[in-house]
Amino acid sequence: MVAQQYLPPWFSVAPMMEWTNNHFRTLARLISKHAWLYTEMIAAETIIYQSGDLDRFLAFTPEQHPIVLQIGGSNLENLAKATQLARPYGYDEINFNCGCPSPKVAGRGCFGASLMLDADFVAKAMSVIAANSDVPVSVKCRIGVDNHDTYSELCDFIYKVSTESPTRHFVIHSRKAFLKGLSPADNRKIPPLKYEFYYALLRDFPDLRFTINGGINSVDEVNAARNEGAHGVMVGRAAYYIPWETLGHVDTAIYGAPRRYLTRRQVLEQYQKYGDSILGKYGKNKPNVRDVVKPILGLFHAAPRNGLWKRNADAAFQRCVTLKSFFEETLETIPDWVLDKPLEDEASSCVVETFANSKNLLPPPYAKKERENSEQERMYD
């Protein structure tokens, strides 16, 4: 399957380690038919060393299309092998992680966000990934790392990777990353958002495609970013923690699709079939009921009796061995009208000025022509 079969990635769900697994993606697709879904980041070495059990890491149902595989690594040979092994699964795009600041990733062999300091390697990695795949490739990165956080340095990275590899799509997390001194959670909150860097990239690299990421938590904000010219918008934790309100409006408010009159009860009925079919599939009670239920814990966010339902869920995890029994024991807590009420049309008149204001703060244009000339002069020195 190829990405051209689907609507454009105007809205995508960010890759989140231990979150955007098969369970969450199944739930997300039941709610939104058009959002682009990303896997959690999978290390190339994991794919290689688990080659006898690849379905556990790479398999997905056809309904999850359009879906992007995010891969991580710092060894060209391993990236090539991993991409080859993933190819038969039919992902719609391969994304390379150059943005994760976790010490588990960035601190091990120049991995994740630290790769932004080595554009030469990233260009080679993207060429290797593209050569071993038959779908588009993309990079997810920050706007900078540690003290390497100027707009010019970001542009140097984009220019190098895009001119020396087939990469034409960049997902830009609009915060820089600190490789030391901040936890991954703090790296998502403390470095200031600089959306102006993103919009400057649109100006300076008109032949490339950019998706904006970071600090965007609602459909209103997604549309505001797109109204200011964003090619695509990626949402992370809001899609996971508030899936009904966030993903539920994507198809109508962003893609203009007809309203489906979907209810939470319908979603849970379909999700139960998936969940009970996969319980214990990988042995040693993996996945178990708790694993499969985890993505739906935000489905009743802000709804009446949500807190009581979660408390009952904690108790039910100790006893229930199927999703059917789990729902029978816990859903009586939620009022029927909550379960059966279709999601209301997005009628917000909220005005978001964030992105319009950011466009008033654009840095000076990237002087890539001068940089090309300087590089050519060095070649002849």
Side-chain angles (χ1 to χ4, degrees):
M1 303 187 72
V2 294
Q4 286 80 0
Q5 296 184 32
Y6 309 106
L7 295 175
W10 295 334
F11 180 101
S12 55
V13 179
M16 293 176 282
M17 293 180 68
E18 300 182 358
W19 289 17
T20 50
N21 53 25
N22 219 1
H23 313 320
F24 170 76
R25 298 195 308 268
T26 297
L27 174 69
R29 185 56 76 220
L30 288 172
I31 301 173
S32 170
K33 298 301 181 184
H34 300 303
W36 281 62
L37 305 178
Y38 278 62
T39 69
E40 55 189 328
M41 193 278 292
I42 305 176
E45 287 72 21
T46 297
I47 296 174
I48 294 169
Y49 300 148
Q50 299 290 338
S51 58
D53 192 23
L54 278 181
D55 283 359
R56 181 176 181 178
F57 298 92
L58 295 177
F60 59 91
T61 59
E63 291 78 15
Q64 287 187 30
H65 288 285
I67 180 172
V68 180
L69 169 65
Q70 188 183 70
I71 193 170
S74 58
N75 179 287
L76 294 178
E77 182 178 354
N78 287 347
L79 287 169
K81 290 179 181 178
T83 306
Q84 291 171 1
L85 289 168
R87 183 171 179 168
Y89 287 88
Y91 285 92
D92 299 299
E93 187 173 301
I94 308 294
N95 179 265
F96 188 46
N97 184 315
C98 295
C100 182
S102 170
K104 295 180 181 179
V105 173
R108 295 174 61 183
C110 193
F111 204 93
S114 59
L115 288 174
M116 289 195 70
L117 302 176
D118 192 353
D120 287 327
F121 173 82
V122 175
K124 292 175 183 176
M126 297 309 296
S127 295
V128 163
I129 293 170
N132 288 278
S133 177
D134 56 359
V135 295
V137 296
S138 60
V139 168
K140 188 173 189 295
C141 64
R142 295 284 185 132
I143 58 170
V145 176
D146 293 334
N147 293 326
H148 299 275
D149 59 357
T150 67
Y151 177 67
S152 180
E153 287 171 300
L154 172 62
C155 288
D156 287 345
F157 175 82
I158 300 293
Y159 180 71
K160 185 78 170 181
V161 175
S162 64
T163 56
E164 297 188 8
S165 81
T167 310
R168 294 296 174 269
H169 178 202
F170 293 83
V171 181
I172 307 295
H173 187 139
S174 301
R175 287 185 172 95
K176 75 172 182 177
F178 287 97
L179 299 183
K180 295 181 180 180
L182 288 183
S183 68
D186 286 341
N187 256 304
R188 294 191 298 267
K189 297 179 293 187
I190 293 178
L193 287 160
K194 292 189 175 182
Y195 295 131
E196 59 269 26
F197 278 24
Y198 170 83
Y199 283 102
L201 291 174
L202 302 188
R203 175 197 66 196
D204 292 335
F205 296 91
D207 296 331
L208 302 178
R209 181 160 58 91
F210 295 97
T211 294
I212 190 171
N213 174 227
I216 300 171
N217 296 309
S218 70
V219 167
D220 284 330
E221 292 175 330
V222 171
N223 279 331
R226 291 191 60 236
N227 287 340
E228 295 300 327
H231 299 155
V233 182
M234 177 176 280
V235 174
R237 278 152 183 76
Y240 192 94
Y241 283 131
I242 325 172
W244 187 243
E245 291 80 358
T246 304
L247 295 171
H249 291 303
V250 167
D251 293 356
T252 53
I254 295 174
Y255 287 96
R259 185 181 177 191
R260 293 167 58 206
Y261 295 95
L262 188 68
T263 69
R264 289 181 176 97
R265 191 187 300 275
Q266 292 169 333
V267 168
L268 291 174
E269 287 172 351
Q270 293 300 309
Y271 192 75
Q272 178 189 312
K273 295 176 183 178
Y274 159 78
D276 281 334
S277 73
I278 201 171
L279 287 174
K281 183 175 181 178
Y282 302 114
K284 297 182 180 178
N285 197 31
K286 288 295 184 180
N288 57 33
V289 171
R290 185 186 295 271
D291 297 330
V292 179
V293 167
K294 181 182 175 182
I296 69 169
L297 291 177
L299 195 63
F300 298 107
H301 173 79
R305 310 189 79 182
N306 174 53
L308 178 59
W309 178 71
K310 285 186 175 181
R311 290 193 293 275
N312 288 348
D314 283 337
F317 288 143
Q318 310 302 318
R319 298 184 294 273
C320 295
V321 295
T322 67
L323 250 67
K324 184 175 186 295
S325 62
F326 174 84
F327 287 147
E328 287 174 348
E329 184 168 327
T330 63
L331 284 183
E332 62 183 18
T333 305
I334 302 296
D336 285 341
W337 69 266
V338 173
L339 286 165
D340 296 321
K341 181 181 180 182
L343 191 69
E344 295 180 351
D345 288 331
E346 181 73 14
S348 173
S349 59
C350 175
V351 177
V352 180
E353 298 289 349
T354 304
F355 306 103
N357 293 337
S358 294
K359 292 183 75 174
N360 296 325
L361 302 172
L362 299 185
Y366 177 53
K368 60 186 173 185
K369 290 185 178 180
E370 289 79 356
R371 192 168 299 276
E372 289 174 350
N373 292 335
S374 296
E375 291 174 355
Q376 290 175 357
E377 290 173 1
R378 285 198 298 271
M379 289 176 60
Y380 291 106
D381 284 346

